[in-house]
Amino acid sequence: QVQLVESGGGLVQAGGSLRLSCAASGSIFSLDVMAWYRQAPGKQRDWVTTITKGGSTAYADSVKGRFTISRDNAKNTMYLQMNSLKPEDTAVYYCNGRGSLNNYWGQGTQVTVSS
């Protein structure tokens, strides 16, 4: 069983940066894919970015070139570096981890970008 806990959210001005962390209670090495999703008020939860166990990454077009995902298997932690933030990035950001049989979610961390 793996528990995921996000941190690092907060209030930032447009153009600023934040770094989110997703700490796992167990080993993330067993998770084939880890990802970040976000959900704005009144909207569905949207995929933001993914990183595989091997380090391959993919990004939604809306964040490409501004966000960077990474994972540190030794520290059981995944990160999301967010630069050049825009008001439309405001959302609750969720950490997700998937193995062959399991799918885990964190509780979310709020990111608010003011204009």
Side-chain angles (χ1 to χ4, degrees), residues 17-39:
S17 298
L18 282 175
R19 187 194 196 204
L20 305 183
S21 297
C22 172
S25 61
S27 173
I28 66 171
F29 189 76
S30 65
L31 301 177
D32 297 321
V33 177
M34 297 194 73
W36 289 95
Y37 288 74
R38 66 186 181 185
Q39 187 167 17

Side-chain angles (χ1 to χ4, degrees), residues 37-115:
Y37 288 74
R38 66 186 181 185
Q39 187 167 17
K43 296 188 177 181
Q44 66 182 18
R45 188 173 298 188
D46 290 329
W47 170 74
V48 176
T49 178
T50 295
I51 186 166
T52 69
K53 184 185 296 188
S56 298
T57 60
Y59 297 90
D61 287 344
S62 59
V63 306
K64 200 172 294 183
R66 300 187 298 122
F67 290 11
T68 303
I69 189 172
S70 61
R71 62 191 283 177
D72 187 333
N73 291 334
K75 295 183 178 180
N76 293 323
T77 303
M78 177 178 66
Y79 304 97
L80 182 63
Q81 178 66 43
M82 305 186 294
N83 299 328
S84 303
L85 283 162
K86 305 175 181 180
E88 51 263 44
D89 294 318
T90 295
V92 177
Y93 284 71
Y94 295 92
C95 170
N96 172 259
R98 300 193 295 276
S100 57
L101 298 175
N102 299 298
N103 187 29
Y104 303 103
W105 289 94
Q107 83 290 346
T109 185
Q110 176 71 46
V111 172
T112 302
V113 185
S114 63
S115 57

